[in-house]
């Protein structure tokens, strides 16, 4: 396994220097900031690229928070934590005892501690104790069972699709195709008025914490009688040219009183329309699943997941690598939506380490529904 070691160096020099040898000795590959300092790529991006090659993320929390970047409003270590969470990596967190944390670092530690799924937390006092605990946990990970488990639904569940609550999505004849993912808790009780009120206040910051939106972007939650909706405004940009490729963009999230949490985004495309890429669609669905997990709203261990596209107008199946296109064969010209409701329940790992596996099944179901729709 490739193990990414993340921390502020100041105050944790001994620990950072001791871990690579240990990780190598037990048969794994350490990856650290120090490994990227000689590259031509800026060190920040090189670190995030290195994180993208890792199998495990190891975070050491010491007294210092670090410098904040203007665009994310977070330190490099915080950015690495967010990227690891988005990627659904197994995350090991070790907090040093006997030191005084800066206020920003204390807030970051509380934020990390709010994650209840897919994250292992422990403490240490000495470097030797940290080494022993890391070694034991890495050996355990080598033989850990898959936390993602499917099981039959005990009863049918009803998905509130985007067209049920968004008037723009109902205008299917003029809507651009957009991907929507809906996660429903199995066996939970409705959220109280008090909890919905607290979510109205906290949801914008929770969304910013995922780095799915710019930290400086204004987010205005709208609360209705049964849900909270945040619509993400587009970032200011120049007018797109005819041959520009459109990258997927998060459009909004919704947290309902009945427990359902939803997220929706644009599909990639060009001036000729939107595209479903068999190779990249699972990654986009997995990203939305992890985003919902990062919002830290789901409070049950069992989930049901539905996926859909609000409109099939000018939608094609193809390859993003070939964009922009000179011609296109549309899979559908109708404005009808595609809905794939849940027919199984799955453990909460679907919003974390198991997101990509679940997303592959959801993408397959969506592509099959489109084929049947043609």
């Amino acid at each position: 396994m490739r193990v990414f070691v993340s921390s502020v160096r100041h105050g944790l020099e001994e620990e950072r220097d001791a871990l690579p040898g240990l990780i190598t000795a037990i048969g794994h590959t350490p990856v650290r900031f120090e490994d990227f300092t000689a590259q031509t790529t800026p060190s920040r991006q090189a670190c995030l690229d290195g994180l993208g090659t890792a199998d495990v993320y190891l975070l050491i929390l010491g007294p210092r928070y670090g410098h904040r970047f203007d665009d994310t409003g977070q330190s490099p270590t915080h950015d690495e934590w967010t990227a690891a969470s988005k990627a659904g990596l197994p995350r090991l967190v070790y907090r040093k005892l006997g030191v005084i944390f800066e206020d920003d670092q204390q807030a970051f530690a509380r934020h990390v501690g709010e994650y209840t799924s897919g994250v292992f937390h422990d403490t240490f006092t000495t470097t030797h104790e940290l080494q022993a605990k890391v070694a034991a946990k890495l050996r355990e990970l080598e033989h850990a069972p898959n936390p993602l488990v499917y099981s039959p639904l005990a009863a049918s569940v009803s998905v509130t699709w985007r067209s049920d609550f968004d008037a723009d999505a109902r205008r299917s004849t003029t809507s651009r195709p957009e991907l929507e993912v809906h996660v429903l808790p199995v066996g939970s009780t409705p959220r109280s008025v008090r909890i919905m009120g607290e979510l109205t206040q906290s949801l914008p910051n929770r969304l910013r914490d995922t780095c799915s939106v710019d930290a400086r972007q204004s987010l205005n939650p709208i609360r209705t009688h049964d849900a909270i909706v945040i619509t993400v405004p587009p970032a200011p940009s120049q007018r797109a040219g005819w041959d520009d490729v459109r990258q997927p963009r998060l459009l909004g999230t919704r947290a309902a009183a009945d427990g359902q949490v939803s997220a929706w985004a644009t599909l990639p495309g060009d001036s000729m329309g939107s595209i479903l890429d068999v190779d990249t669609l699972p990654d986009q669905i997995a990203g939305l699943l992890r985003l919902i997990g990062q919002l830290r709203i789901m409070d049950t261990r069992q989930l049901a997941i539905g996926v859909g596209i609000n409109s099939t107008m000018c939608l094609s199946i193809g390859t993003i690598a070939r964009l922009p296109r000179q011609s296109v064969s549309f899979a559908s010209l109708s404005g009808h939506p595609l809905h794939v409701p849940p027919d199984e329940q799955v453990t909460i790992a679907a919003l974390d380490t198991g997101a990509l596996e679940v997303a592959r099944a959801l993408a397959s179901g969506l592509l099959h529904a489109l084929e049947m729709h043609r």
Side-chain angles (χ1 to χ4, degrees):
M1 297 185 296
R2 290 176 60 84
V3 182
F4 189 97
V5 181
S6 177
S7 77
V8 173
R9 181 166 178 82
H10 184 53
L12 291 170
E13 294 90 345
E14 181 178 309
E15 290 86 349
R16 287 188 65 87
D17 290 341
L19 283 176
L22 167 77
I23 293 169
T24 301
I26 60 177
H28 304 301
T29 303
V31 184
R32 302 179 304 158
F33 168 80
E34 291 88 337
D35 301 325
F36 307 114
T37 53
Q39 298 191 21
T40 56
T41 306
S43 57
R44 179 190 185 189
Q45 187 58 48
C47 270
L48 295 177
D49 291 344
L51 180 57
T53 71
D55 303 297
V56 178
Y57 173 81
L58 195 164
L59 172 64
I60 313 171
L61 292 171
R64 308 292 185 184
Y65 179 73
H67 167 75
R68 288 181 182 269
F69 292 116
D70 290 338
D71 55 344
T72 64
Q74 299 177 165
S75 70
T77 304
H78 199 153
D79 279 354
E80 290 162 6
W81 161 263
T82 301
S85 299
K86 280 187 174 182
L89 292 178
R91 279 148 290 157
L92 310 179
V93 180
Y94 297 88
R95 175 170 178 157
K96 187 169 186 177
L97 301 178
V99 295
I100 299 175
F101 278 37
E102 295 176 341
D103 290 345
D104 285 347
Q105 183 71 338
Q106 188 65 44
F108 178 43
R110 284 195 300 269
H111 169 67
V112 170
E114 289 175 348
Y115 281 74
T116 58
S117 173
V119 181
F120 172 82
H121 297 260
D122 205 343
T123 59
F124 70 96
T125 303
T126 66
T127 300
H128 178 73
E129 183 184 7
L130 174 64
Q131 287 180 301
K133 289 186 173 183
V134 169
K137 193 61 186 178
L138 289 178
R139 291 191 181 102
E140 180 184 322
L141 278 178
E142 292 179 56
H143 307 288
N146 187 349
L148 186 70
V149 179
Y150 287 94
S151 56
L153 277 170
S156 62
V157 295
S158 179
V159 178
T160 302
W161 300 99
R162 189 171 163 219
S163 57
D164 296 327
F165 61 82
D166 190 332
D168 289 337
R170 286 195 292 271
R171 300 187 185 99
S172 58
T173 57
T174 58
S175 293
R176 176 181 294 175
E178 294 163 354
L179 178 67
E180 54 187 84
V181 172
H182 307 278
V183 179
L184 295 82
V186 176
S188 72
T189 56
R191 297 186 177 105
S192 66
V193 173
R194 176 186 61 81
I195 290 175
M196 292 297 287
E198 291 175 352
L199 273 177
T200 302
Q201 300 300 317
S202 66
L203 198 54
N205 284 335
R206 294 189 189 200
L207 186 55
R208 289 191 187 94
D209 285 344
T210 70
C211 287
S212 298
V213 299
D214 192 292
R216 298 160 292 189
Q217 196 163 21
S218 176
L219 299 174
N220 300 309
I222 297 175
R223 184 175 176 185
T224 64
H225 71 284
D226 63 348
I228 305 156
V229 177
I230 294 182
T231 301
V232 179
S237 61
Q238 295 181 343
R239 185 174 179 180
W242 70 270
D243 60 346
D244 285 351
V245 176
R246 296 196 309 267
Q247 299 298 327
R249 182 180 73 83
L250 179 67
L251 294 173
T253 62
R254 177 180 183 267
D258 64 6
Q260 178 174 319
V261 181
S262 307
W264 54 98
T266 62
L267 288 165
D270 56 16
S271 61
M272 293 190 172
S274 299
I275 189 170
L276 285 182
D277 186 323
V278 176
D279 294 326
T280 63
L281 181 60
D283 291 321
Q284 187 176 3
I285 294 175
L288 292 177
L289 288 173
R290 294 187 191 115
L291 169 68
I292 291 172
Q294 287 179 283
L295 294 177
R296 311 184 306 282
I297 300 174
M298 307 307 300
D299 56 1
T300 61
R301 308 302 297 178
Q302 298 290 327
L303 312 170
I305 302 172
V307 64
I309 295 176
N310 67 307
S311 169
T312 53
M313 177 68 70
C314 297
L315 182 64
S316 61
I317 298 175
T319 303
I320 293 176
R322 296 179 180 174
L323 297 179
R325 299 164 290 184
Q326 301 299 317
S327 63
V328 62
S329 176
F330 291 115
S332 176
L333 290 173
S334 81
H336 299 299
L338 288 179
H339 292 159
V340 181
D343 58 2
E344 289 181 293
Q345 65 186 38
V346 66
T347 49
I348 199 168
L351 305 185
D352 201 297
T353 55
L356 185 56
E357 182 177 338
V358 173
R360 290 191 182 108
L362 294 171
S364 178
L366 198 56
L367 290 164
H368 176 71
L370 182 59
E371 287 293 335
M372 294 297 99
H373 184 70
R374 296 175 72 171

